Amino acid sequence: MSRKPELKGRAARLARLFPAGRARQAARTPFVLLVVVLLGGGLIGLLVLNSALSEGSFRLDDLQKQTKNLTDEEQALQRDIDAYSAPDALQRRARELGMVPGGDPAFLGPDGTVKGVPSPAALRQTTVPPAPEVIGTRSTAASTPTPTASVPVTAPAPTPTPALTPVTSPTPTPGR
C-alpha cells in the first residue's frame, strides 16, 4: 500500500487545520444540499415567472380584441352621425318635421336701416327621399312618403324663391 508523504514546514501546519478522513466528506454534504436547493428554487421561480407572463399575454390579447371591437363600434357610430348630419339628410328631416325653406332674408345695418326685401317662406309640395335606415325595410310600392305635418297648403308667394340644390355627398369632418 502506498504511504502518504510527510509534509514539513508550512504545508504540515496547513494540513493540521483541515480534518482528515470522513469529516471531509461530511463537510461537502451541506454544500451539495445548498446547491440543489438553489437550483430547485431557481427552476420553481422560472416556472412561476413563465406562468405570470403567459397570463399577462392572454390578458393583453383579450384587451386588444376588446379595443378592436370598441373601435369598430365607434367608427359605426361616427358613420351614423356623419349620415345624419349631411346636408341632404338634414333637409329631409326638416321637411319630415314640416319645416320649409326660408324666403329671401333682409339684413339690418348698424344704423337701423333694412337692406333687402324680405319674403315669407313658401310651402312647396315635394317628395321626401326615404331615410337611409328605412330604405331596406320599406317595400317598393310604399317608397313615396306622405307628408305627416298638419300644415295647411297655401299658394306660393308671388315673389320667386331660389331653388334649393341638395348636396349629395357629406362634407368631410375636420381632422379625419
Side-chain angles (χ1 to χ4, degrees):
M1 308 245 163
S2 73
R3 189 174 160 220
K4 289 185 181 178
E6 273 198 45
L7 301 173
K8 296 183 181 178
R10 186 174 185 183
R13 279 182 274 153
L14 285 175
R16 278 184 284 194
L17 292 175
F18 294 109
R22 270 184 155 256
R24 194 173 223 185
Q25 293 293 338
R28 286 187 186 166
T29 305
F31 177 73
V32 171
L33 286 176
L34 177 67
V35 169
V36 169
V37 168
L38 287 176
L39 287 175
L43 289 174
I44 291 173
L46 285 174
L47 179 65
V48 169
L49 181 65
N50 190 18
S51 297
L53 288 175
S54 295
E55 181 182 348
S57 175
F58 287 127
R59 179 155 169 75
L60 178 66
D61 188 46
D62 291 342
L63 290 174
Q64 285 175 340
K65 286 179 184 176
Q66 184 181 7
T67 301
K68 182 185 175 297
N69 290 339
L70 290 174
T71 301
D72 291 344
E73 183 180 348
E74 178 192 15
Q75 289 174 352
L77 291 172
Q78 187 61 45
R79 279 192 303 270
D80 290 346
I81 290 171
D82 291 343
Y84 284 122
S85 64
D88 58 337
L90 289 176
Q91 180 185 12
R92 185 190 77 257
R93 282 290 294 147
R95 288 193 186 276
E96 286 174 0
L97 293 173
M99 297 180 177
V100 295
D104 293 330
F107 299 97
L108 292 176
D111 58 351
T113 59
V114 177
K115 297 180 181 180
V117 178
S119 64
L123 180 64
R124 290 189 221 152
Q125 252 336 20
T126 59
T127 59
V128 178
E133 65 273 359
V134 179
I135 289 175
T137 59
R138 284 192 179 172
S139 66
T140 56
S143 64
T144 308
T146 59
T148 58
S150 60
V151 177
V153 177
T154 58
T159 58
T161 57
L164 295 175
T165 57
V167 178
T168 58
S169 64
T171 58
T173 307
R176 293 203 183 251

